Amino acid sequence: MDPEYRYWAWLAEGKSSVDDAREVIRTWTSPEGLDQEESYLPDSGWKTTWTYQDVRDQHKRGYLLPITEDDVERFKQQQR
């Protein structure tokens, strides 16, 4: 069974569109109850990262905008 993903755009302050995203991130909860995350990288697809956690904990600047799976697909197309 596939996890239930939540999608996020990591944006710089003052930006408000997926078109301006630094990265897109998907998060989910593992069957063991652990929070998991991956960022989409144009060269290699989805890879484990700590971006969501780092932004949330203010170790990286910017903010996280909830987005849809369609937004993620649009971001991927822009990266080509």
Side-chain angles (χ1 to χ4, degrees):
M1 182 171 147
D2 287 336
E4 184 176 323
Y5 293 118
R6 293 170 303 278
Y7 296 98
W8 309 88
W10 175 31
L11 299 171
E13 295 297 328
K15 302 293 183 180
S16 60
S17 169
V18 175
D19 297 334
D20 299 319
R22 296 174 176 177
E23 289 179 22
V24 292
I25 303 159
R26 66 183 181 186
T27 61
W28 70 97
T29 303
S30 73
E32 297 80 21
L34 302 172
D35 292 333
Q36 304 289 311
E37 73 174 78
E38 296 176 325
S39 292
Y40 179 78
L41 306 171
D43 299 345
S44 53
W46 292 103
K47 295 292 180 184
T48 301
T49 62
W50 296 102
T51 304
Y52 177 86
Q53 187 72 36
D54 286 345
V55 174
R56 198 178 81 192
D57 292 345
Q58 298 181 346
H59 297 296
K60 289 187 176 181
R61 292 183 178 206
Y63 71 100
L64 299 163
L65 175 70
I67 59 174
T68 67
E69 191 170 357
D70 289 338
D71 293 327
V72 172
E73 292 305 316
R74 191 171 86 233
F75 177 85
K76 288 179 178 181
Q77 293 300 317
Q78 291 173 347
Q79 301 304 304
R80 291 183 176 182

